[in-house]
Amino acid sequence: MSRYTGPVCRLCRAEGAKLFLKGDRCYTEKCGLTKRNSKPGQHGTRRGKMSEYGLRLREKQKLRRFYCLNETQFGAVYEKATNLPGQTGHNFLQLLERRLDNVVYRLGFGVSRNQARQLVRHGHFTVNGRKLDIPSALLNPGDVVAVCEGSKEMALLKENSEAAAARAIPAWLSFNSEAMSGSVVSTPIREQIEVPVNEQLVVEFYAR
């Protein structure tokens, strides 16, 4: 599946939930879902009864779009989750949260996951002192993510870092605004992962 390049507010409206794809705008009255809370398209206002398959499909699509992954990437993470001990749904969310691009977003270096992924790909971050430009790299407790020395004067990163100091950082992460760095304190548990989905329905979709 190719990368989606259309209006991202349309995706939020399609799923009926805020996916936070446009950064700070999603928290304002300019949010597309706030301004027009109906499904996109000519027949968006029609609401019929959805089948069980439809419910599971919508949860899967919602979670995939929330983390801004294509079908191949999303499916690969799920396959990895099925091979881990414990509940597959929780393992799935933990793997998605531990991705480098998501950690960069959660720390506030990017206002959206797409922006965070682009910053990672352009080589603006180090992990444990070594430059890493692979967005899908999985981080473990103790890993330290920092802005590269040559990127600390970048206006976008400075602005995002200053704004991040006033934001609520997830409990499984720590943030140092002065050093422009953050670290993974622990593996996130389900209560610490804020996603607008029922992950069990996603597991049921793939297990059908």
Side-chain angles (χ1 to χ4, degrees):
M1 178 180 177
S2 59
R3 183 169 62 93
Y4 178 77
T5 57
V8 293
C9 289
R10 186 182 180 91
L11 300 181
C12 295
R13 291 175 55 209
E15 302 304 339
K18 286 193 177 187
L19 305 180
F20 302 100
L21 303 176
K22 296 203 74 171
D24 293 337
R25 179 170 179 168
C26 298
Y27 297 93
T28 70
E29 295 181 354
K30 293 182 179 180
C31 170
L33 188 65
T34 301
K35 293 170 64 176
R36 191 176 180 186
N37 189 9
S38 63
K39 292 186 180 298
Q42 181 180 359
H43 307 292
T45 56
R46 295 184 182 180
R47 296 183 183 275
K49 185 177 180 180
M50 192 176 295
S51 66
E52 290 188 5
Y53 171 79
L55 288 172
R56 293 166 182 163
L57 174 62
R58 289 270 54 86
E59 287 299 290
K60 188 269 291 185
Q61 292 291 75
K62 190 188 302 181
L63 185 62
R64 181 179 67 79
R65 289 167 170 172
F66 186 79
Y67 285 100
C68 304
L69 301 179
N70 62 33
E71 289 288 353
T72 302
Q73 294 169 324
F74 195 71
V77 177
Y78 177 80
E79 286 299 318
K80 185 176 294 186
T82 61
N83 295 322
L84 297 175
Q87 296 185 34
T88 300
H90 291 181
N91 293 337
F92 193 22
L93 292 181
Q94 287 177 346
L95 290 176
L96 291 169
E97 283 290 305
R98 287 169 49 208
R99 285 172 54 101
L100 176 57
D101 55 357
N102 182 74
V103 171
V104 167
Y105 165 72
R106 292 292 193 189
L107 289 171
F109 292 122
V111 296
S112 66
R113 286 182 176 83
N114 278 330
Q115 186 184 84
R117 181 173 298 124
Q118 186 178 45
L119 289 170
V120 170
R121 282 177 175 160
H122 288 182
H124 293 298
F125 294 94
T126 64
V127 175
N128 300 328
R130 300 184 63 180
K131 183 179 290 188
L132 184 60
D133 59 2
I134 303 174
S136 62
L138 291 178
L139 302 187
N140 298 305
D143 287 343
V144 178
V145 179
V147 176
C148 293
E149 286 298 326
S151 302
K152 287 187 175 180
E153 295 304 316
M154 183 177 172
L156 176 63
L157 284 171
K158 288 180 68 175
E159 181 181 332
N160 289 350
S161 295
E162 291 171 0
R167 291 181 182 175
I169 303 298
W172 58 280
L173 297 173
S174 66
F175 178 68
N176 186 329
S177 59
E178 294 184 359
M180 296 182 73
S181 67
S183 61
V184 181
V185 177
S186 62
T187 300
I189 59 176
R190 181 61 185 93
E191 291 72 20
Q192 296 172 325
I193 303 175
E194 296 183 5
V195 291
V197 299
N198 180 345
E199 69 276 6
Q200 184 56 37
L201 292 179
V202 181
V203 174
E204 292 174 4
F205 173 85
Y206 280 109
R208 72 192 190 282

